[in-house]
């Protein structure tokens, strides 16, 4: 009997040793709510102004709720995931073309070599704007001049990013960049993954960044292909829309200056295929609780005079580490027949200038 018990114990230990050890895992819920009210002029051709609560973004950041986690697989390897929903706090509706997790939805592996993720990823054009774009994805910002910058995400994609001694390398490849049929920058109806046309709706992007303690430089390239169903004039798979972004920033203990240029070649436009977007911004911490920042930008079409100039100013006051109130103002001037609105998702009469003011509260959790 004693021999039987000993043999059973040895067998149980052997089986336990053959099974993987219990991995350490963590999951967190996070989010941000940014509610705002704004007023801007010349919302239509008659010159009427409008007062509204914006849906696409807040005065500082788009609202979101997300879930992220990791599992330690041993040997320096981790499993990682992120699911992030974007929503409009004015009506409680879903943004990003109606996707449940339209901001991010991916799973992958990470180690000392970097990370690889599969799903709906940020493309490297969007990642290249981090830190150098002072205003970021706010209601008034570079997204007015080129909506692709703050909406740089790719469906059906594989992404890589790794940082080594201050050098960051990144790349994405999408088999079908946009499955949503909703209009606008968040949904351009290009699902791809076609047996008849392997090039349809493909997208790729690459990034190179170098960071030092007080400055950084970054370059990124992004190219998307069209299809017969795609929006924005890219109606065949051999037509492409390409962007090259080169930027940088320098900072001190209580200030930062960032800027860059975005060169675009868009075969979906017969009249304005090439453009240059310049921007320069600065932020100053007037006190530990008060930040003043501003930014200027210009969208220059090389074939026409339909250019747009933008100037922004904002003050942000921290009520706590998680809560802030802010007020921002902006001026946008359209030349020729340009009809670029100051506020994301807003409207403006063709060729008209626009002045706006927005105020709100942001809370992160």
């Amino acid at each position: 009997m004693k021999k039987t018990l000993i043999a059973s114990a040895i067998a149980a230990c052997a089986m336990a040793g053959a099974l993987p050890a219990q991995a350490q895992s963590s999951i967190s819920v996070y989010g941000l709510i940014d509610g705002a009210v704004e007023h801007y002029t010349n919302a239509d051709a008659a010159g009427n102004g409008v007062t509204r609560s914006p849906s696409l973004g807040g005065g500082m950041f788009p609202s979101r709720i997300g879930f992220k986690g990791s599992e330690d697989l041993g040997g320096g390897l981790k499993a990682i995931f992120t699911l992030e929903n974007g929503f409009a706090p004015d009506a409680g509706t879903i943004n990003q073309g109606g996707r449940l997790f339209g901001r991010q939805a991916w799973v992958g592996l990470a180690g000392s070599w970097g990370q690889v993720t599969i799903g709906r990823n940020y493309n490297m054009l969007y990642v290249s704007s981090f830190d150098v774009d002072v205003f970021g994805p706010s209601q008034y910002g570079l997204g007015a001049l080129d909506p692709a910058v703050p909406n740089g995400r790719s469906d059906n994609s594989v992404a890589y990013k790794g940082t080594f001694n201050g050098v960051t390398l990144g790349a994405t490849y999408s088999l079908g960049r946009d499955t949503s049929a909703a209009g606008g920058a968040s949904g351009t109806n290009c699902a791809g993954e076609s047996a008849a046309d392997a090039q349809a709706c493909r997208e790729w992007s690459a990034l190179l960044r170098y960071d030092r303690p007080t400055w950084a430089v970054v370059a990124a390239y992004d190219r998307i292909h069209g299809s017969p169903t795609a929006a924005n004039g890219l109606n065949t798979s051999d037509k492409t829309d390409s962007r090259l972004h080169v930027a940088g920033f320098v900072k001190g203990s209580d200030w930062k200056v960032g800027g860059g240029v975005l060169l675009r070649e868009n075969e979906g436009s017969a009249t304005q295929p090439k453009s240059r977007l310049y921007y320069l911004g600065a932020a100053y911490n007037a006190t530990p609780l008060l930040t003043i920042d501003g930014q200027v930008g210009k969208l220059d079409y090389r074939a026409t005079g339909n250019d747009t100039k933008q100037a922004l100013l904002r003050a942000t006051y921290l009520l706590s580490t998680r809560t802030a109130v802010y007020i921002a103002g902006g001026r946008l001037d359209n030349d020729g027949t340009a009809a670029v609105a100051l506020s994301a998702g807003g409207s403006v009469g063709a060729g008209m200038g626009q002045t706006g003011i927005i105020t709100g509260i942001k809370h992160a959790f």
Side-chain angles (χ1 to χ4, degrees):
M1 183 65 178
K2 185 181 294 185
K3 291 182 179 179
T4 302
L5 291 175
I6 293 173
S8 299
I10 293 173
C13 291
M15 291 180 64
L19 295 174
Q22 182 66 38
Q24 297 297 313
S25 62
S26 64
I27 298 176
S28 60
V29 180
Y30 65 95
L32 183 150
I33 303 176
D34 190 334
V37 176
E38 67 176 342
H39 177 83
Y40 56 82
T41 62
N42 294 331
D44 56 25
N48 295 310
V50 66
T51 300
R52 68 171 194 159
S53 183
S55 296
L56 295 183
M60 293 187 68
F61 296 101
S63 298
R64 72 208 58 179
I65 184 169
F67 310 85
K68 61 182 178 181
S70 66
E71 181 185 24
D72 187 351
L73 302 176
L77 187 65
K78 294 190 299 182
I80 55 175
F81 79 90
T82 293
L83 296 170
E84 190 173 276
N85 166 272
F87 64 93
D90 63 326
T93 53
I94 297 176
N95 285 338
Q96 286 79 46
R99 298 171 173 92
L100 177 59
F101 295 112
R103 292 186 58 84
Q104 299 182 77
W106 51 257
V107 64
L109 295 173
S112 60
W113 42 266
Q115 66 177 46
V116 173
T117 58
I118 301 174
R120 178 167 168 83
N121 289 282
Y122 290 148
N123 65 32
M124 292 300 130
L125 180 69
Y126 186 17
V127 174
S128 71
S129 70
F130 297 172
D131 302 322
V132 297
D133 177 6
V134 170
F135 266 62
S138 58
Q139 192 69 23
Y140 296 1
L142 286 185
L145 302 179
D146 190 343
V149 176
N151 291 287
R153 302 173 179 89
S154 304
D155 295 341
N156 308 302
S157 64
V158 180
Y160 168 80
K161 189 170 70 170
T163 300
F164 312 93
N165 297 320
V167 177
T168 299
L169 305 173
T172 66
Y173 190 82
S174 170
L175 300 170
R177 58 184 171 83
D178 197 334
T179 60
S180 174
S186 294
T188 55
N189 198 25
C190 207
E193 299 183 315
S194 170
D197 187 350
Q199 191 171 242
C201 305
R202 296 292 172 100
E203 177 183 11
W204 66 269
S205 67
L207 174 140
L208 176 63
R209 173 168 169 155
Y210 183 61
D211 280 90
R212 299 298 294 167
T214 60
W215 58 273
V217 291
V218 62
Y221 186 82
D222 179 76
R223 170 168 285 188
I224 64 176
H225 286 263
S227 79
T229 63
N232 303 326
L234 295 173
N235 52 16
T236 62
S237 64
D238 60 343
K239 287 185 178 181
T240 62
D241 189 357
S242 305
R243 291 172 172 86
L244 172 65
H245 182 215
V246 180
F249 72 84
V250 59
K251 64 181 180 179
S253 59
D254 55 9
W255 60 272
K256 180 170 74 171
V257 176
V261 59
L262 182 67
L263 307 178
R264 182 182 183 187
E265 187 165 350
N266 178 18
E267 295 177 352
S269 174
T271 58
Q272 302 182 134
K274 295 184 178 182
S275 65
R276 294 171 291 194
L277 170 57
Y278 308 95
Y279 66 95
L280 180 66
Y284 174 63
N285 296 326
T287 75
L289 301 179
L290 176 64
T291 299
I292 307 295
D293 49 12
Q295 188 162 279
V296 293
K298 181 180 180 181
L299 177 59
D300 176 22
Y301 284 105
R302 299 174 65 181
T304 72
N306 301 325
D307 302 334
T308 303
K309 296 180 287 294
Q310 180 192 70
L312 309 169
L313 185 64
R314 181 174 61 191
T316 306
Y317 187 80
L318 295 176
L319 299 177
S320 72
T321 56
R322 294 180 176 272
T323 304
V325 292
Y326 57 84
I327 184 168
R331 173 68 187 180
L332 188 143
D333 291 299
N334 287 302
D335 298 331
T337 60
V340 176
L342 172 66
S343 180
S347 59
V348 64
M352 289 185 168
Q354 196 165 60
T355 302
I357 187 169
I358 186 168
T359 185
I361 182 171
K362 173 189 71 72
H363 176 73
F365 59 89

